[in-house]
Amino acid sequence: MTDIVDTLINDGRFTTLVEAINRASLLQGLMEPASITLFAPTDEAFSKLPSGTVGIFLDNPPELEQLLTYHVIALRIPSADTDALSSAPTVEGSTLAIDTSDGIKVNDARVIEPDIESDNGIIHIIDSVLIPESVGELLVTR
């Protein structure tokens, strides 16, 4: 197996996410031994954001880091374990709502492909980018 970053790169559907991880200087942290869960938005998920949003984040590294760490849980949570959860704390410091009544939803994002294993964690592919309240103001003021 490979680490989370190499898994994303090798998949090919995450060029925007990998670029953002690199810009936020989180690349090394996501390659180190750990046990994390990453809710990974695809390039298609990023394309659903309003025009210019990705550029705003890429030009604001502190907010970009908050956005990205909002997608990370500091535990390995396979999809089979999500039934027992209603929420999970993110590395960013907020909490994600988890709903398993009809598939798996994290806040308003649907998990479209769960349980992609890597050496240092597990990836669940989601159909939308999760936006924490802490960076929502950045979008409103732009």
Side-chain angles (χ1 to χ4, degrees), residues 116-127:
I116 298 172
E117 294 285 342
S118 71
D119 284 340
N120 60 338
I122 192 165
I123 300 167
H124 301 300
I125 300 174
I126 55 176
D127 66 354

Side-chain angles (χ1 to χ4, degrees), residues 23-132:
R23 279 268 188 92
S25 300
L26 297 175
L27 200 59
Q28 190 60 39
L30 290 175
M31 296 171 80
E32 293 178 0
S35 187
I36 64 174
T37 299
L38 172 65
F39 293 100
T42 61
D43 292 337
E44 184 177 331
F46 276 100
S47 74
K48 293 179 184 178
L49 293 172
S51 178
T53 301
V54 172
I56 290 170
F57 280 114
L58 292 176
D59 291 341
N60 292 280
E63 288 83 2
L64 180 60
E65 182 177 341
Q66 288 178 307
L67 174 77
L68 295 173
T69 56
Y70 189 61
H71 290 77
V72 179
I73 308 293
L75 299 167
R76 182 185 290 258
I77 304 172
S79 62
D81 293 351
T82 59
D83 284 343
L85 300 173
S86 61
S87 64
T90 69
V91 171
E92 179 263 347
S94 300
T95 301
L96 295 174
I98 298 175
D99 178 1
T100 57
S101 62
D102 181 24
I104 302 170
K105 284 186 77 176
V106 181
N107 290 358
D108 292 327
R110 183 167 301 281
V111 174
I112 56 175
E113 191 175 331
D115 300 327
I116 298 172
E117 294 285 342
S118 71
D119 284 340
N120 60 338
I122 192 165
I123 300 167
H124 301 300
I125 300 174
I126 55 176
D127 66 354
S128 304
V129 178
L130 303 169
I131 307 286

Side-chain angles (χ1 to χ4, degrees), residues 4-22:
I4 283 181
V5 173
D6 285 338
T7 301
L8 294 172
I9 291 169
N10 292 337
D11 184 285
R13 294 179 284 176
F14 303 98
T15 56
T16 305
L17 179 59
V18 171
E19 178 185 358
I21 289 168
N22 192 33

